[in-house]
Amino acid sequence: MDGVVTKGEAGIGFRALVLALLALASGHMLSTLLRTIPAISLDLMARDFGTSPQALASLTSIYHFSFAASQIPVGAAMDRFGVRPVSLSLLAGTVVGTLVSALATGPASFVLGQLMLGVATSGMLMCPMTLAAKQMSAAKFGLWSGLILSIGNIGMLLSASPLAFVVDQFGWRAGFWVSAGFGIAVLIAVFALVPRQPAAHADDSSPLHQMAEVLRLGLSRGLRGLIALSLVSLGASLTLRGLWGGPWLMDVKGLSRIEAGNVLGLFTLAMIVGPACIGAFDRKFGHRRTMVAATHAIAALLLVAMAAGAPHFPISNLFGVAVMPTQYDLVLLVLIGLATSAQPLIYGMTRQLVDAQNTGKALSSVNLAFFLGAALLQSSTAGVAALFGLPAVLLFIAAALAIGIVLFWAYTSTAVAIR
């Protein structure tokens, strides 16, 4: 029971809490699987829909826009009603959205499916995060937030080589059919394992007021630096892993779909291992602010190095080759996956700055920034790719990270607790 605190709620035994967190984290795994399906099947989907891959890539941003916008009501709902009813409702919606995506016949129905999935999966990360934040001490939460993200990122591993095989053998729709079955299994697990509990410190104010509080917390001085970095942090890794990683490896490096899936799989393994390792490192050594800034700076430099290995770019010219070999990209992608795994520390810093009554809303404001940033990066990089090519996309993401780091460092130097 070490590290488990009740904060006014009916207590949850440690074993029951772990099982509940695992069930909820599986929902986050489903979410990461669904949002990265286009990375490995974008060309086939575009051909079926009679559109270009660039145009379809820009449409995928609707997922992240709807996901980000839904953080406002979802954050308020978790503080008002509790984790269990919110998670069950969202999982049911995810199954429906997955079925709509599997049956899409063109860009319009594809956008509808992406919109439904963005709304329905919007709380898949915040549900286990909120439960952990309200049941565990701040020190324990840093470790468990990393574990939750690591479990969730397994979904991206499933959407690498395994999904590439499924797409090659059965078509891109099969990825959504398999995901729908997975969603039903997670729904059953959450129903069985997540206990019924009243919301902590139930707020009797109107839902509109509570949703406004999500925005107020996000714009507050105390969270401003965290929000600035959140706007580019997750977007950098998701735009690379979920959208442009596949085209980069297939179009620039000449890999087959399954070969690209293998490389993206190793990239994803780094994203799975990284959060848990950084969470453990943080618990032992601390220095969260420095760790967050340093790792994101390293990620920006690695993206520049990756772009410089394109045909006729500086590093390729330096080594006297037409293009740097795939092994070069593999090493850089693994290092980028590790470097961008400091996101749990942003959640941990947020948890330290707010009281229990505002935990769900504050975490949702950060999550809103994460996925709003992902949507903005995906939509903007589609234009960059069309005009300037894929190396420019990597440089654009690196520049966005640099701006986020500067703002994060400036604002967090004077951050104060929010009550």
Side-chain angles (χ1 to χ4, degrees):
M1 296 292 289
D2 178 42
V4 181
V5 290
T6 60
K7 300 181 189 281
E9 297 187 50
I12 302 177
F14 184 69
R15 180 175 177 275
L17 177 60
V18 169
L19 291 175
L21 289 175
L22 289 175
L24 292 168
S26 296
H28 179 42
M29 187 193 308
L30 173 64
S31 173
T32 59
L33 168 62
L34 287 167
R35 67 171 170 257
T36 51
I37 286 178
I40 208 70
S41 55
L42 191 66
D43 57 331
L44 298 178
M45 297 168 73
R47 187 180 65 193
D48 280 2
F49 295 160
T51 187
S52 69
Q54 291 82 3
L56 194 61
S58 66
L59 294 179
T60 62
S61 64
I62 191 66
Y63 177 102
H64 296 289
F65 278 120
S66 60
F67 190 111
S70 299
Q71 296 304 311
I72 299 172
V74 166
M78 280 191 288
D79 283 338
R80 186 180 184 91
F81 302 112
V83 170
R84 189 175 191 271
V86 173
S87 61
L88 289 173
S89 300
L90 293 176
L91 280 165
T94 299
V95 172
V96 174
T98 304
L99 295 175
V100 170
S101 298
L103 297 171
T105 56
S109 50
F110 173 73
V111 167
L112 175 61
Q114 290 290 290
L115 175 66
M116 294 178 68
L117 286 174
V119 173
T121 61
S122 60
M124 294 305 176
L125 176 57
M126 284 302 94
C127 285
M129 285 288 190
T130 301
L131 182 63
K134 291 184 175 183
Q135 293 290 327
M136 293 181 169
S137 65
K140 290 274 188 176
F141 177 69
L143 175 63
W144 275 90
S145 61
L147 291 173
I148 290 167
L149 279 174
S150 292
I151 293 169
N153 284 343
I154 293 174
M156 287 189 283
L157 183 63
L158 296 175
S159 68
S161 298
L163 179 64
F165 175 79
V166 170
V167 169
D168 268 350
Q169 297 297 315
F170 307 106
W172 63 266
R173 297 179 191 275
F176 287 107
W177 288 116
V178 171
S179 298
F182 182 28
I184 293 171
V186 175
L187 178 64
I188 294 170
V190 168
F191 182 82
L193 297 174
V194 177
R196 293 179 174 85
Q197 286 189 300
H201 306 282
D203 189 346
D204 293 329
S205 61
S206 69
L208 185 61
H209 173 78
Q210 292 180 31
M211 287 188 282
E213 282 293 289
V214 175
L215 292 176
R216 182 192 70 80
L217 287 167
L219 295 173
S220 64
R221 174 84 186 184
L223 293 187
R224 207 168 293 166
L226 301 176
I227 294 296
L229 187 56
S230 298
L231 281 168
V232 294
S233 175
L234 188 63
S237 56
L238 287 188
T239 300
L240 185 58
R241 172 59 186 87
L243 188 59
W244 296 117
W248 172 268
L249 294 169
M250 290 186 282
D251 298 341
V252 177
K253 298 296 179 171
L255 300 187
S256 69
R257 192 180 313 280
I258 291 181
E259 287 171 337
N262 290 336
V263 174
L264 292 176
L266 291 174
F267 176 32
T268 306
L269 278 175
M271 296 174 68
I272 292 170
V273 173
C277 291
I278 286 183
F281 187 92
D282 168 68
R283 188 180 177 194
K284 185 172 184 180
F285 298 106
H287 303 290
R288 283 183 177 177
R289 179 170 174 259
T290 301
M291 175 71 72
V292 169
T295 52
H296 283 83
I298 291 170
L301 292 173
L302 292 169
L303 283 164
V304 172
M306 190 171 168
H312 311 300
F313 271 61
I315 291 184
S316 295
N317 293 337
L318 178 66
F319 284 91
V321 296
V323 62
M324 291 299 288
T326 305
Q327 290 83 351
Y328 174 78
D329 297 87
L330 174 59
V331 171
L332 290 179
L333 284 169
V334 168
L335 293 176
I336 290 169
L338 294 172
T340 55
S341 294
Q343 286 136 11
L345 303 188
I346 298 178
Y347 288 118
M349 292 176 72
T350 304
R351 167 68 179 80
Q352 289 178 303
L353 289 171
V354 299
D355 57 20
Q357 185 171 351
N358 289 315
T359 298
K361 291 188 283 289
L363 291 175
S364 288
S365 69
V366 170
N367 218 37
L368 187 157
F370 274 137
F371 288 94
L372 177 61
L376 292 171
L377 272 180
Q378 285 210 0
S379 57
S380 57
T381 53
V384 172
L387 291 173
F388 305 107
L390 293 180
V393 169
L394 302 181
L395 295 174
F396 183 87
I397 298 171
L401 279 173
I403 295 170
I405 294 164
V406 170
L407 293 174
F408 167 81
W409 194 257
Y411 279 110
T412 52
S413 63
T414 57
V416 295
I418 304 167
R419 302 299 175 192

